[in-house]
Amino acid sequence: MSVDIGNRLRHIRIAHNLSQRELARRAGVTNSTISLIESNASNPSVGALKRILDGIPIGLAEFFAFEPETPRKAFYAAEELVEIGKGAISYRQVGESLFGRNLQILKECYQPGADTGKIPLVHEGEEGGIVLSGRLEVTVDNDRRILGPGDAYYFDSRRPHRFRCVGPVPCDVISACTPPTF
């Protein structure tokens, strides 16, 4: 049995009205530690998880027994999309919590010249997207393409990849990733 510790922690933290920064302060860890755990980029030891949960406060047994209600909402107005990006790249997520969900859908907006970084992204799952406007350079392994409106990508996310807006106008993309790992 696999437990999604990151989404579980995010859901419980939000339910207790705590920011990542506040939980990190209470637990005596860095904000980036909370962020990495919630994005499932880092798997905490039992001791580290207990220290973080003490900051909520909630015990380990209660944490692992917790089962949130399955999201039932089916429609989202534009203003209900949740901003999870920062800086020159906007990632607006459909749904506030991905706990118990198998798919993450994003409306992405890259400002001219914005990119996901020089170090390629690598994570579990698959992802795909369709460019709505602007031009997006997508690199997967050593294959690089410039995509325009109507063009799409779809690949195994374990392959090193990165994204960069090329051209003088912002690039809008609708993307999906399964399982939710972003």
Side-chain angles (χ1 to χ4, degrees):
M1 181 176 103
S2 177
V3 176
D4 185 343
I5 290 175
N7 278 323
R8 186 177 297 259
L9 178 60
R10 178 183 297 117
H11 189 84
I12 291 172
R13 175 183 59 76
I14 290 169
H16 284 84
N17 294 316
L18 293 172
S19 66
Q20 285 183 345
R21 192 169 311 281
E22 176 61 17
L23 178 56
R25 187 190 65 73
R26 289 182 180 192
V29 299
T30 65
N31 184 45
S32 62
T33 297
I34 303 296
S35 178
L36 288 169
I37 293 169
E38 288 188 356
S39 64
N40 287 313
S42 174
N43 207 0
S45 67
V46 173
L49 181 60
K50 176 160 183 4
R51 187 169 52 251
I52 291 166
L53 295 178
D54 286 347
I56 291 179
I58 184 175
L60 281 168
E62 187 178 357
F63 176 77
F64 285 107
F66 178 76
E67 290 295 334
E69 292 182 25
T70 303
R72 303 230 185 267
K73 188 170 182 173
F75 303 99
Y76 299 84
E79 63 273 6
E80 293 178 302
L81 301 183
V82 178
E83 179 62 60
I84 60 172
K86 61 183 175 182
I89 304 176
S90 168
Y91 297 109
R92 297 186 63 219
Q93 177 178 279
V94 177
E96 64 185 35
S97 172
L98 297 178
F99 191 82
R101 297 230 176 165
N102 296 315
L103 179 67
Q104 180 178 38
I105 302 171
L106 297 172
K107 171 151 186 336
E108 305 177 20
C109 182
Y110 296 78
Q111 294 303 312
D115 68 30
T116 55
K118 293 186 185 215
I119 298 173
L121 304 169
V122 177
H123 53 91
E124 287 298 315
E126 295 181 319
E127 62 188 272
I130 299 173
V131 176
L132 301 177
S133 63
R135 297 175 57 77
L136 185 68
E137 179 185 83
V138 181
T139 304
V140 180
D141 292 323
N142 293 320
D143 191 11
R144 180 179 303 164
R145 301 281 169 90
I146 295 178
L147 306 178
D151 293 338
Y153 61 88
Y154 178 59
F155 55 86
D156 183 322
S157 302
R158 293 175 293 190
R159 297 171 64 189
H161 56 282
R162 68 184 292 253
F163 303 93
R164 182 170 70 97
C165 178
V166 294
V169 298
C171 179
D172 289 314
V173 178
I174 299 295
S175 70
C177 179
T178 183
T181 54
F182 185 76

